[in-house]
Amino acid sequence: MTTATIHTVAPADHFWLSKKGIALGMLRRPEGATISQIAQELGCSASAARAHLAALKQQGFAVEVLERIRCVGPNRTGAKGSYTVYHVATKARGQ
């Protein structure tokens, strides 16, 4: 007869296992993260990934633009391949 091992997760660790925690962890990396990277990691759409960024901003995190890469199309419009890299400071404002 085999016994199953049950792994428990501390309450503080639950945050980092949530979608918001995963997105925040990606944004805190030195290289930051793009919307498409966040969406792919969370398994959601790009609009849902942008909603996660908006929620972090509302909670006081300083979501900053680290870099903008723009590909210019024939009429000086944004072309496919353009993206923005976002980054979050270590602590939320007011903490």
Side-chain angles (χ1 to χ4, degrees):
M1 181 174 187
T2 61
T3 58
T5 304
I6 299 173
H7 298 284
T8 58
V9 178
D13 292 338
H14 280 290
F15 173 80
W16 295 108
L17 298 176
S18 68
K19 287 187 175 187
K20 184 170 67 174
I22 293 169
L24 187 58
M26 293 179 72
L27 292 167
R28 284 187 170 169
R29 299 181 305 190
E31 67 272 16
T34 64
I35 293 293
S36 61
Q37 289 172 336
I38 295 170
Q40 182 178 5
E41 187 69 26
L42 298 181
C44 64
S45 65
S47 60
R50 282 190 286 276
H52 283 289
L53 288 183
L56 289 172
K57 282 184 178 183
Q58 287 178 344
Q59 292 173 357
F61 289 96
V63 179
E64 304 167 347
V65 173
L66 192 61
E67 180 181 18
R68 288 184 197 268
I69 305 298
R70 294 287 179 236
C71 297
V72 179
N75 295 327
R76 297 259 183 224
T77 59
K80 289 187 177 184
S82 299
Y83 61 93
T84 303
V85 179
Y86 296 93
H87 186 262
V88 169
T90 306
K91 292 186 180 181
R93 292 180 296 229
Q95 287 187 348

